[in-house]
CSV table of all heavy atoms in Angstrom, one decimal:
chain,number,residue,atom,x,y,z
S,1,MET,N,127.9,58.5,135.3
S,1,MET,CA,128.7,59.5,136.1
S,1,MET,C,129.8,60.1,135.2
S,1,MET,O,130.4,59.4,134.4
S,1,MET,CB,129.4,58.8,137.3
S,1,MET,CG,128.5,58.6,138.5
S,1,MET,SD,129.6,58.1,139.8
S,1,MET,CE,128.3,57.3,140.8
S,2,LYS,N,130.0,61.3,135.4
S,2,LYS,CA,131.1,62.0,134.7
S,2,LYS,C,131.9,62.8,135.7
S,2,LYS,O,131.4,63.4,136.6
S,2,LYS,CB,130.5,63.0,133.7
S,2,LYS,CG,129.9,62.3,132.5
S,2,LYS,CD,130.9,61.6,131.7
S,2,LYS,CE,130.3,60.9,130.5
S,2,LYS,NZ,131.3,60.2,129.7
S,3,TYR,N,133.3,62.9,135.5
S,3,TYR,CA,134.1,63.7,136.3
S,3,TYR,C,134.7,64.8,135.5
S,3,TYR,O,135.2,64.6,134.3
S,3,TYR,CB,135.2,62.9,137.0
S,3,TYR,CG,136.0,63.8,137.8
S,3,TYR,CD1,135.6,64.2,139.1
S,3,TYR,CD2,137.2,64.4,137.4
S,3,TYR,CE1,136.3,65.1,139.9
S,3,TYR,CE2,137.9,65.3,138.2
S,3,TYR,CZ,137.4,65.6,139.4
S,3,TYR,OH,138.1,66.5,140.2
S,4,SER,N,134.7,66.0,136.0
S,4,SER,CA,135.3,67.1,135.4
S,4,SER,C,135.8,68.1,136.6
S,4,SER,O,135.1,68.1,137.6
S,4,SER,CB,134.3,67.8,134.5
S,4,SER,OG,134.9,69.0,134.0
S,5,SER,N,136.8,68.8,136.4
S,5,SER,CA,137.3,69.8,137.4
S,5,SER,C,136.4,71.0,137.4
S,5,SER,O,136.5,71.8,138.3
S,5,SER,CB,138.7,70.2,137.1
S,5,SER,OG,139.6,69.1,137.2
S,6,PHE,N,135.6,71.2,136.4
S,6,PHE,CA,134.7,72.3,136.2
S,6,PHE,C,133.3,71.8,135.9
S,6,PHE,O,133.1,70.6,135.9
S,6,PHE,CB,135.1,73.2,135.1
S,6,PHE,CG,136.6,73.7,135.3
S,6,PHE,CD1,137.6,73.1,134.6
S,6,PHE,CD2,136.9,74.7,136.2
S,6,PHE,CE1,138.9,73.5,134.8
S,6,PHE,CE2,138.2,75.1,136.4
S,6,PHE,CZ,139.2,74.5,135.7
S,7,GLU,N,132.3,72.7,135.6
S,7,GLU,CA,131.0,72.2,135.2
S,7,GLU,C,131.2,71.4,133.9
S,7,GLU,O,132.0,71.7,133.0
S,7,GLU,CB,130.1,73.4,134.8
S,7,GLU,CG,129.6,74.2,136.0
S,7,GLU,CD,128.7,75.3,135.6
S,7,GLU,OE1,129.0,76.0,134.6
S,7,GLU,OE2,127.7,75.5,136.2
S,8,TYR,N,130.5,70.3,133.8
S,8,TYR,CA,130.6,69.4,132.7
S,8,TYR,C,129.8,70.0,131.5
S,8,TYR,O,128.7,70.4,131.6
S,8,TYR,CB,130.0,68.0,133.0
S,8,TYR,CG,130.3,67.0,131.9
S,8,TYR,CD1,131.5,66.5,131.7
S,8,TYR,CD2,129.3,66.7,131.0
S,8,TYR,CE1,131.8,65.6,130.7
S,8,TYR,CE2,129.5,65.8,130.0
S,8,TYR,CZ,130.8,65.2,129.8
S,8,TYR,OH,131.1,64.4,128.8
S,9,GLU,N,130.5,70.1,130.4
S,9,GLU,CA,129.9,70.7,129.2
S,9,GLU,C,129.5,69.6,128.2
S,9,GLU,O,130.3,68.8,127.8
S,9,GLU,CB,130.8,71.7,128.5
S,9,GLU,CG,130.2,72.4,127.3
S,9,GLU,CD,131.1,73.5,126.8
S,9,GLU,OE1,132.2,73.7,127.4
S,9,GLU,OE2,130.7,74.1,125.8
S,10,ILE,N,128.2,69.6,127.8
S,10,ILE,CA,127.8,68.6,126.9
S,10,ILE,C,128.0,69.1,125.4
S,10,ILE,O,127.4,70.2,125.1
S,10,ILE,CB,126.3,68.2,127.1
S,10,ILE,CG1,126.1,67.6,128.5
S,10,ILE,CG2,125.8,67.3,126.0
S,10,ILE,CD1,124.7,67.3,128.9
S,11,THR,N,128.8,68.4,124.7
S,11,THR,CA,129.1,68.8,123.3
S,11,THR,C,128.0,68.3,122.4
S,11,THR,O,127.2,67.4,122.7
S,11,THR,CB,130.4,68.2,122.8
S,11,THR,OG1,130.3,66.8,122.8
S,11,THR,CG2,131.6,68.7,123.8
S,12,PRO,N,127.9,68.9,121.2
S,12,PRO,CA,126.9,68.4,120.2
S,12,PRO,C,127.1,66.9,119.9
S,12,PRO,O,126.1,66.1,119.8
S,12,PRO,CB,127.2,69.2,118.9
S,12,PRO,CG,127.7,70.5,119.4
S,12,PRO,CD,128.6,70.1,120.6
S,13,LYS,N,128.3,66.4,119.9
S,13,LYS,CA,128.5,65.0,119.7
S,13,LYS,C,128.0,64.1,120.8
S,13,LYS,O,127.4,63.1,120.6
S,13,LYS,CB,130.1,64.7,119.5
S,13,LYS,CG,130.4,63.3,119.3
S,13,LYS,CD,131.9,63.1,119.1
S,13,LYS,CE,132.2,61.6,119.1
S,13,LYS,NZ,133.7,61.4,119.1
S,14,TYR,N,128.3,64.6,122.1
S,14,TYR,CA,127.8,63.8,123.2
S,14,TYR,C,126.3,63.9,123.3
S,14,TYR,O,125.6,62.9,123.8
S,14,TYR,CB,128.5,64.3,124.5
S,14,TYR,CG,128.3,63.4,125.7
S,14,TYR,CD1,128.6,62.1,125.6
S,14,TYR,CD2,127.8,63.9,126.9
S,14,TYR,CE1,128.5,61.2,126.7
S,14,TYR,CE2,127.6,63.0,127.9
S,14,TYR,CZ,127.9,61.7,127.9
S,14,TYR,OH,127.7,60.9,128.9
S,15,ASN,N,125.7,65.0,122.9
S,15,ASN,CA,124.3,65.2,122.9
S,15,ASN,C,123.6,64.1,122.0
S,15,ASN,O,122.7,63.5,122.4
S,15,ASN,CB,123.9,66.6,122.4
S,15,ASN,CG,122.4,66.9,122.5
S,15,ASN,OD1,121.6,66.0,122.4
S,15,ASN,ND2,122.1,68.1,122.7
S,16,ARG,N,124.2,63.9,120.8
S,16,ARG,CA,123.7,62.9,119.9
S,16,ARG,C,123.8,61.5,120.5
S,16,ARG,O,122.9,60.7,120.4
S,16,ARG,CB,124.4,63.0,118.6
S,16,ARG,CG,124.0,64.0,117.6
S,16,ARG,CD,124.6,63.8,116.2
S,16,ARG,NE,126.0,63.8,116.2
S,16,ARG,CZ,126.8,64.9,116.3
S,16,ARG,NH1,126.3,66.1,116.3
S,16,ARG,NH2,128.1,64.8,116.3
S,17,GLU,N,125.0,61.3,121.1
S,17,GLU,CA,125.2,60.0,121.8
S,17,GLU,C,124.2,59.7,122.9
S,17,GLU,O,123.6,58.6,123.0
S,17,GLU,CB,126.6,60.0,122.3
S,17,GLU,CG,127.1,58.6,122.8
S,17,GLU,CD,128.5,58.6,123.3
S,17,GLU,OE1,129.4,59.3,122.6
S,17,GLU,OE2,128.8,58.0,124.3
S,18,LEU,N,123.9,60.7,123.7
S,18,LEU,CA,122.9,60.5,124.8
S,18,LEU,C,121.5,60.2,124.2
S,18,LEU,O,120.8,59.4,124.7
S,18,LEU,CB,122.9,61.7,125.7
S,18,LEU,CG,124.1,61.9,126.6
S,18,LEU,CD1,124.0,63.3,127.3
S,18,LEU,CD2,124.2,60.8,127.6
S,19,ARG,N,121.1,61.0,123.2
S,19,ARG,CA,119.8,60.8,122.5
S,19,ARG,C,119.7,59.4,121.9
S,19,ARG,O,118.7,58.7,121.9
S,19,ARG,CB,119.6,61.9,121.5
S,19,ARG,CG,119.3,63.2,122.1
S,19,ARG,CD,119.0,64.3,121.1
S,19,ARG,NE,118.9,65.6,121.7
S,19,ARG,CZ,117.9,66.1,122.2
S,19,ARG,NH1,116.8,65.4,122.3
S,19,ARG,NH2,117.9,67.3,122.7
S,20,GLU,N,120.8,58.9,121.3
S,20,GLU,CA,120.8,57.6,120.7
S,20,GLU,C,120.7,56.5,121.8
S,20,GLU,O,120.0,55.5,121.6
S,20,GLU,CB,122.1,57.3,119.9
S,20,GLU,CG,122.2,58.1,118.6
S,20,GLU,CD,123.5,58.0,117.9
S,20,GLU,OE1,124.4,57.2,118.4
S,20,GLU,OE2,123.7,58.7,116.9
S,21,ARG,N,121.3,56.7,122.9
S,21,ARG,CA,121.2,55.8,124.0
S,21,ARG,C,119.8,55.7,124.6
S,21,ARG,O,119.3,54.6,124.8
S,21,ARG,CB,122.1,56.2,125.2
S,21,ARG,CG,123.6,55.9,124.9
S,21,ARG,CD,124.5,56.3,126.0
S,21,ARG,NE,125.9,56.1,125.7
S,21,ARG,CZ,126.8,56.4,126.5
S,21,ARG,NH1,126.6,56.8,127.7
S,21,ARG,NH2,128.1,56.1,126.2
S,22,VAL,N,119.1,56.9,124.7
S,22,VAL,CA,117.7,56.9,125.2
S,22,VAL,C,116.9,56.2,124.1
S,22,VAL,O,116.0,55.3,124.5
S,22,VAL,CB,117.3,58.3,125.4
S,22,VAL,CG1,115.8,58.4,125.6
S,22,VAL,CG2,118.0,58.9,126.6
S,23,SER,N,117.1,56.4,122.9
S,23,SER,CA,116.3,55.8,121.8
S,23,SER,C,116.5,54.3,121.8
S,23,SER,O,115.5,53.5,121.7
S,23,SER,CB,116.7,56.4,120.5
S,23,SER,OG,116.0,55.7,119.4
S,24,THR,N,117.7,53.8,121.9
S,24,THR,CA,118.0,52.4,122.0
S,24,THR,C,117.4,51.8,123.2
S,24,THR,O,116.8,50.7,123.1
S,24,THR,CB,119.6,52.2,122.1
S,24,THR,OG1,120.1,52.7,120.9
S,24,THR,CG2,119.9,50.7,122.1
S,25,PHE,N,117.4,52.4,124.3
S,25,PHE,CA,116.8,51.9,125.5
S,25,PHE,C,115.3,51.7,125.3
S,25,PHE,O,114.7,50.7,125.7
S,25,PHE,CB,117.1,52.8,126.7
S,25,PHE,CG,116.5,52.3,128.0
S,25,PHE,CD1,117.2,51.3,128.8
S,25,PHE,CD2,115.3,52.7,128.5
S,25,PHE,CE1,116.7,50.8,130.0
S,25,PHE,CE2,114.7,52.2,129.7
S,25,PHE,CZ,115.4,51.3,130.4
S,26,ARG,N,114.7,52.7,124.7
S,26,ARG,CA,113.2,52.7,124.5
S,26,ARG,C,112.9,51.5,123.6
S,26,ARG,O,111.9,50.8,123.8
S,26,ARG,CB,112.8,54.0,123.8
S,26,ARG,CG,112.2,55.0,124.7
S,26,ARG,CD,111.6,56.1,123.9
S,26,ARG,NE,111.7,57.4,124.5
S,26,ARG,CZ,111.0,57.7,125.6
S,26,ARG,NH1,110.1,56.9,126.1
S,26,ARG,NH2,111.2,58.8,126.2
S,27,ASN,N,113.7,51.3,122.5
S,27,ASN,CA,113.4,50.3,121.5
S,27,ASN,C,113.6,48.9,122.1
S,27,ASN,O,112.8,48.0,121.8
S,27,ASN,CB,114.2,50.5,120.3
S,27,ASN,CG,113.9,51.7,119.5
S,27,ASN,OD1,112.7,52.1,119.5
S,27,ASN,ND2,114.8,52.2,118.8
S,28,VAL,N,114.6,48.7,122.9
S,28,VAL,CA,114.9,47.4,123.5
S,28,VAL,C,113.9,47.0,124.5
S,28,VAL,O,113.5,45.9,124.6
S,28,VAL,CB,116.4,47.4,124.0
S,28,VAL,CG1,116.6,46.1,124.8
S,28,VAL,CG2,117.4,47.5,122.9
S,29,THR,N,113.6,48.0,125.4
S,29,THR,CA,112.7,47.7,126.5
S,29,THR,C,111.2,47.8,126.2
S,29,THR,O,110.3,47.4,126.9
S,29,THR,CB,113.0,48.6,127.7
S,29,THR,OG1,112.7,49.9,127.4
S,29,THR,CG2,114.4,48.4,128.2
S,30,LYS,N,110.9,48.5,125.0
S,30,LYS,CA,109.6,48.7,124.6
S,30,LYS,C,108.8,49.5,125.6
S,30,LYS,O,107.5,49.4,125.7
S,30,LYS,CB,108.8,47.4,124.3
S,30,LYS,CG,109.5,46.5,123.4
S,30,LYS,CD,109.3,46.9,122.0
S,30,LYS,CE,109.8,45.8,121.0
S,30,LYS,NZ,111.0,46.0,120.4
S,31,THR,N,109.5,50.3,126.4
S,31,THR,CA,108.8,51.2,127.4
S,31,THR,C,108.1,52.3,126.7
S,31,THR,O,108.5,52.9,125.7
S,31,THR,CB,109.8,51.7,128.5
S,31,THR,OG1,109.0,52.3,129.5
S,31,THR,CG2,110.8,52.7,127.9
S,32,ARG,N,106.9,52.7,127.3
S,32,ARG,CA,106.2,53.9,126.9
S,32,ARG,C,106.2,54.9,128.0
S,32,ARG,O,105.6,55.9,127.9
S,32,ARG,CB,104.8,53.5,126.5
S,32,ARG,CG,104.8,52.7,125.2
S,32,ARG,CD,103.5,52.3,124.7
S,32,ARG,NE,102.3,52.6,125.5
S,32,ARG,CZ,101.1,52.2,125.3
S,32,ARG,NH1,100.9,51.4,124.3
S,32,ARG,NH2,100.1,52.5,126.1
S,33,ASN,N,106.9,54.6,129.1
S,33,ASN,CA,107.0,55.5,130.3
S,33,ASN,C,108.0,56.6,130.0
S,33,ASN,O,108.9,56.5,129.1
S,33,ASN,CB,107.5,54.7,131.5
S,33,ASN,CG,106.5,53.7,131.9
S,33,ASN,OD1,105.3,53.9,131.7
S,33,ASN,ND2,106.9,52.6,132.5
S,34,ALA,N,108.0,57.7,130.7
S,34,ALA,CA,108.9,58.8,130.6
S,34,ALA,C,110.3,58.3,131.0
S,34,ALA,O,110.4,57.6,132.0
S,34,ALA,CB,108.5,59.9,131.4
S,35,LEU,N,111.3,58.8,130.3
S,35,LEU,CA,112.7,58.5,130.7
S,35,LEU,C,113.3,59.8,131.1
S,35,LEU,O,113.2,60.8,130.5
S,35,LEU,CB,113.5,57.9,129.5
S,35,LEU,CG,113.0,56.5,129.0
S,35,LEU,CD1,113.8,56.1,127.8
S,35,LEU,CD2,113.1,55.5,130.1
S,36,HIS,N,114.0,59.8,132.2
S,36,HIS,CA,114.7,61.0,132.8
S,36,HIS,C,116.2,60.7,132.8
S,36,HIS,O,116.7,59.9,133.5
S,36,HIS,CB,114.2,61.2,134.2
S,36,HIS,CG,112.7,61.4,134.3
S,36,HIS,ND1,112.1,62.6,134.0
S,36,HIS,CD2,111.7,60.6,134.6
S,36,HIS,CE1,110.8,62.5,134.1
S,36,HIS,NE2,110.5,61.3,134.5
S,37,LEU,N,116.8,61.5,131.9
S,37,LEU,CA,118.3,61.4,131.8
S,37,LEU,C,118.9,62.2,133.0
S,37,LEU,O,118.7,63.4,133.0
S,37,LEU,CB,118.8,61.9,130.5
S,37,LEU,CG,120.2,61.8,130.2
S,37,LEU,CD1,120.6,60.3,130.2
S,37,LEU,CD2,120.5,62.3,128.8
S,38,THR,N,119.6,61.6,133.8
S,38,THR,CA,120.2,62.2,135.0
S,38,THR,C,121.7,62.2,134.9
S,38,THR,O,122.3,61.1,134.7
S,38,THR,CB,119.7,61.5,136.3
S,38,THR,OG1,118.3,61.5,136.3
S,38,THR,CG2,120.3,62.2,137.5
S,39,MET,N,122.4,63.3,135.1
S,39,MET,CA,123.8,63.4,135.2
S,39,MET,C,124.3,63.5,136.6
S,39,MET,O,123.7,64.3,137.4
S,39,MET,CB,124.4,64.6,134.4
S,39,MET,CG,124.0,64.6,132.9
S,39,MET,SD,124.9,63.3,132.0
S,39,MET,CE,126.6,64.0,131.9
S,40,ILE,N,125.3,62.7,137.0
S,40,ILE,CA,125.9,62.8,138.3
S,40,ILE,C,127.3,63.3,138.1
S,40,ILE,O,128.2,62.7,137.5
S,40,ILE,CB,125.9,61.4,139.0
S,40,ILE,CG1,124.5,60.8,139.1
S,40,ILE,CG2,126.6,61.5,140.4
S,40,ILE,CD1,124.5,59.4,139.5
S,41,THR,N,127.5,64.6,138.6
S,41,THR,CA,128.8,65.3,138.3
S,41,THR,C,129.2,66.0,139.6
S,41,THR,O,128.3,66.4,140.4
S,41,THR,CB,128.7,66.3,137.2
S,41,THR,OG1,127.7,67.3,137.5
S,41,THR,CG2,128.3,65.6,135.9
S,42,PRO,N,130.5,66.3,139.8
S,42,PRO,CA,130.9,67.0,141.0
S,42,PRO,C,130.4,68.5,141.0
S,42,PRO,O,130.1,69.0,142.0
S,42,PRO,CB,132.4,67.0,141.0
S,42,PRO,CG,132.8,66.1,139.9
S,42,PRO,CD,131.6,65.8,139.0
S,43,TRP,N,130.4,69.1,139.8
S,43,TRP,CA,130.2,70.6,139.8
S,43,TRP,C,128.9,71.0,138.9
S,43,TRP,O,128.7,72.1,138.7
S,43,TRP,CB,131.4,71.3,139.3
S,43,TRP,CG,132.6,70.9,140.0
S,43,TRP,CD1,133.7,70.2,139.5
S,43,TRP,CD2,132.9,71.2,141.3
S,43,TRP,NE1,134.6,70.0,140.4
S,43,TRP,CE2,134.2,70.6,141.6
S,43,TRP,CE3,132.3,71.8,142.4
S,43,TRP,CZ2,134.8,70.6,142.9
S,43,TRP,CZ3,132.9,71.9,143.6
S,43,TRP,CH2,134.1,71.3,143.9
S,44,GLY,N,128.2,70.0,138.4
S,44,GLY,CA,127.0,70.3,137.7
S,44,GLY,C,127.3,70.3,136.2
S,44,GLY,O,128.4,70.0,135.7
S,45,VAL,N,126.2,70.5,135.4
S,45,VAL,CA,126.3,70.6,134.0
S,45,VAL,C,126.2,72.0,133.5
S,45,VAL,O,125.3,72.8,134.0
S,45,VAL,CB,125.1,69.8,133.4
S,45,VAL,CG1,125.1,69.9,131.9
S,45,VAL,CG2,125.2,68.3,133.8
S,46,LYS,N,127.1,72.4,132.6
S,46,LYS,CA,127.1,73.8,132.1
S,46,LYS,C,125.9,73.9,131.2
S,46,LYS,O,125.7,73.1,130.3
S,46,LYS,CB,128.4,74.0,131.3
S,46,LYS,CG,128.5,75.4,130.8
S,46,LYS,CD,129.9,75.6,130.2
S,46,LYS,CE,130.0,77.1,129.7
S,46,LYS,NZ,131.3,77.3,129.1
S,47,MET,N,125.2,75.0,131.4
S,47,MET,CA,124.0,75.3,130.6
S,47,MET,C,124.4,75.8,129.3
S,47,MET,O,125.1,76.8,129.2
S,47,MET,CB,123.1,76.3,131.3
S,47,MET,CG,122.6,75.8,132.7
S,47,MET,SD,121.7,74.2,132.6
S,47,MET,CE,120.2,74.7,131.8
S,48,ASN,N,124.0,75.1,128.2
S,48,ASN,CA,124.3,75.6,126.9
S,48,ASN,C,123.2,75.0,125.9
S,48,ASN,O,122.2,74.4,126.4
S,48,ASN,CB,125.7,75.2,126.4
S,48,ASN,CG,126.0,73.7,126.4
S,48,ASN,OD1,125.0,72.9,126.3
S,48,ASN,ND2,127.2,73.3,126.4
S,49,ALA,N,123.4,75.1,124.7
S,49,ALA,CA,122.4,74.6,123.7
S,49,ALA,C,122.2,73.1,123.8
S,49,ALA,O,121.1,72.6,123.4
S,49,ALA,CB,122.8,75.1,122.3
S,50,ASN,N,123.2,72.4,124.3
S,50,ASN,CA,123.1,70.9,124.3
S,50,ASN,C,122.7,70.4,125.6
S,50,ASN,O,122.5,69.2,125.7
S,50,ASN,CB,124.4,70.3,123.9
S,50,ASN,CG,124.9,70.8,122.5
S,50,ASN,OD1,124.1,70.6,121.6
S,50,ASN,ND2,126.0,71.4,122.4
S,51,SER,N,122.6,71.2,126.6
S,51,SER,CA,122.3,70.7,128.0
S,51,SER,C,120.8,70.3,128.2
S,51,SER,O,120.5,69.7,129.2
S,51,SER,CB,122.8,71.7,129.0
S,51,SER,OG,122.1,72.9,128.9
S,52,GLY,N,120.0,70.7,127.2
S,52,GLY,CA,118.5,70.4,127.4
S,52,GLY,C,118.2,68.9,127.4
S,52,GLY,O,117.1,68.6,127.8
S,53,VAL,N,119.1,68.1,126.9
S,53,VAL,CA,118.8,66.7,126.9
S,53,VAL,C,118.8,66.1,128.4
S,53,VAL,O,118.2,65.1,128.6
S,53,VAL,CB,119.9,65.9,126.0
S,53,VAL,CG1,121.3,66.0,126.7
S,53,VAL,CG2,119.5,64.5,125.7
S,54,VAL,N,119.5,66.8,129.3
S,54,VAL,CA,119.5,66.3,130.7
S,54,VAL,C,118.3,66.8,131.5
S,54,VAL,O,118.0,67.9,131.5
S,54,VAL,CB,120.8,66.8,131.4
S,54,VAL,CG1,120.9,66.4,132.8
S,54,VAL,CG2,122.1,66.3,130.6
S,55,THR,N,117.6,65.8,132.1
S,55,THR,CA,116.4,66.1,132.9
S,55,THR,C,116.8,66.5,134.3
S,55,THR,O,116.2,67.4,134.8
S,55,THR,CB,115.5,64.9,132.9
S,55,THR,OG1,115.3,64.4,131.6
S,55,THR,CG2,114.2,65.2,133.5
S,56,GLN,N,117.7,65.8,134.9
S,56,GLN,CA,118.1,66.1,136.3
S,56,GLN,C,119.6,66.1,136.4
S,56,GLN,O,120.3,65.4,135.6
S,56,GLN,CB,117.6,65.0,137.2
S,56,GLN,CG,116.1,65.0,137.4
S,56,GLN,CD,115.6,66.2,138.2
S,56,GLN,OE1,116.3,66.6,139.1
S,56,GLN,NE2,114.5,66.7,137.8
S,57,ASN,N,120.1,66.8,137.4
S,57,ASN,CA,121.5,66.9,137.6
S,57,ASN,C,121.8,66.7,139.1
S,57,ASN,O,121.3,67.5,139.9
S,57,ASN,CB,122.0,68.3,137.2
S,57,ASN,CG,123.5,68.4,137.3
S,57,ASN,OD1,124.3,67.5,137.3
S,57,ASN,ND2,124.0,69.7,137.5
S,58,VAL,N,122.6,65.7,139.5
S,58,VAL,CA,122.9,65.5,140.9
S,58,VAL,C,124.4,65.9,141.0
S,58,VAL,O,125.3,65.4,140.3
S,58,VAL,CB,122.7,64.0,141.3
S,58,VAL,CG1,123.2,63.8,142.7
S,58,VAL,CG2,121.3,63.6,141.1
S,59,MET,N,124.7,66.8,142.0
S,59,MET,CA,126.0,67.3,142.2
S,59,MET,C,126.6,66.7,143.4
S,59,MET,O,125.9,66.2,144.3
S,59,MET,CB,126.1,68.8,142.2
S,59,MET,CG,125.6,69.4,140.9
S,59,MET,SD,125.8,71.2,140.8
S,59,MET,CE,124.8,71.8,142.2
S,60,LEU,N,127.9,66.8,143.6
S,60,LEU,CA,128.6,66.3,144.7
S,60,LEU,C,128.0,66.8,146.0
S,60,LEU,O,127.8,66.0,147.0
S,60,LEU,CB,130.1,66.7,144.6
S,60,LEU,CG,131.1,66.1,145.6
S,60,LEU,CD1,131.2,64.6,145.4
S,60,LEU,CD2,132.4,66.8,145.4
S,61,GLU,N,127.7,68.0,146.1
S,61,GLU,CA,127.1,68.6,147.4
S,61,GLU,C,125.8,68.0,147.7
S,61,GLU,O,125.5,67.8,148.9
S,61,GLU,CB,126.9,70.1,147.2
S,61,GLU,CG,125.9,70.5,146.2
S,61,GLU,CD,125.8,72.0,146.1
S,61,GLU,OE1,126.9,72.7,146.0
S,61,GLU,OE2,124.7,72.6,146.1
S,62,HIS,N,125.0,67.5,146.7
S,62,HIS,CA,123.8,66.8,147.0
S,62,HIS,C,124.0,65.4,147.7
S,62,HIS,O,123.1,65.0,148.5
S,62,HIS,CB,122.9,66.6,145.8
S,62,HIS,CG,122.5,67.9,145.1
S,62,HIS,ND1,122.6,68.1,143.8
S,62,HIS,CD2,122.0,69.0,145.6
S,62,HIS,CE1,122.2,69.3,143.5
S,62,HIS,NE2,121.8,69.9,144.6
S,63,LEU,N,125.1,64.8,147.4
S,63,LEU,CA,125.4,63.5,147.9
S,63,LEU,C,125.9,63.5,149.4
S,63,LEU,O,125.8,62.5,150.1
S,63,LEU,CB,126.4,62.8,147.0
S,63,LEU,CG,126.0,62.5,145.6
S,63,LEU,CD1,127.2,61.9,144.8
S,63,LEU,CD2,124.8,61.6,145.6
S,64,PHE,N,126.4,64.7,149.8
S,64,PHE,CA,127.0,64.7,151.1
S,64,PHE,C,126.3,65.7,152.1
S,64,PHE,O,126.9,66.3,152.9
S,64,PHE,CB,128.5,65.1,151.0
S,64,PHE,CG,129.3,64.1,150.4
S,64,PHE,CD1,129.7,64.2,149.0
S,64,PHE,CD2,129.7,62.9,151.1
S,64,PHE,CE1,130.4,63.2,148.4
S,64,PHE,CE2,130.4,61.9,150.4
S,64,PHE,CZ,130.8,62.0,149.1
S,65,ARG,N,125.0,65.9,151.9
S,65,ARG,CA,124.2,66.7,152.8
S,65,ARG,C,123.9,66.0,154.1
S,65,ARG,O,123.7,64.9,154.2
S,65,ARG,CB,123.0,67.2,152.1
S,65,ARG,CG,123.2,68.3,151.1
S,65,ARG,CD,121.9,68.8,150.7
S,65,ARG,NE,122.2,69.7,149.6
S,65,ARG,CZ,121.2,70.2,148.8
S,65,ARG,NH1,120.0,69.9,149.0
S,65,ARG,NH2,121.5,71.1,147.9
């Protein structure tokens, strides 16, 4: 979960960190299944060159429908 007053922006540094976490999870669990990186944020993820790492985005409005 991430909190931001605006759309959450994934920086190149955080993009690398997320990819490393996925890689570590794959290596530790030995899974061959698909992994879906999901961000839970109040206002969504800002679309930029680094946002492609996120598979799904759950926003505040989705939680209170």
Side-chain angles (χ1 to χ4, degrees):
M1 276 192 203
K2 289 292 182 181
Y3 181 79
S4 177
S5 297
F6 305 100
E7 287 182 316
Y8 188 76
E9 184 171 358
I10 297 176
T11 63
K13 179 182 174 187
Y14 192 56
N15 185 329
R16 279 190 305 278
E17 190 176 317
L18 290 173
R19 290 182 187 275
E20 287 173 9
R21 287 180 183 180
V22 168
S23 178
T24 299
F25 183 85
R26 265 190 210 286
N27 292 334
V28 169
T29 62
K30 306 283 191 255
T31 187
R32 293 184 351 192
N33 296 329
L35 296 177
H36 300 280
L37 186 60
T38 304
M39 296 291 285
I40 302 172
T41 61
W43 310 112
V45 174
K46 183 175 182 178
M47 299 306 286
N48 62 19
N50 300 303
S51 63
V53 69
V54 176
T55 308
Q56 291 291 322
N57 183 30
V58 177
M59 296 187 301
L60 190 64
E61 66 183 46
H62 296 136
L63 298 175
F64 294 102
R65 283 190 188 170

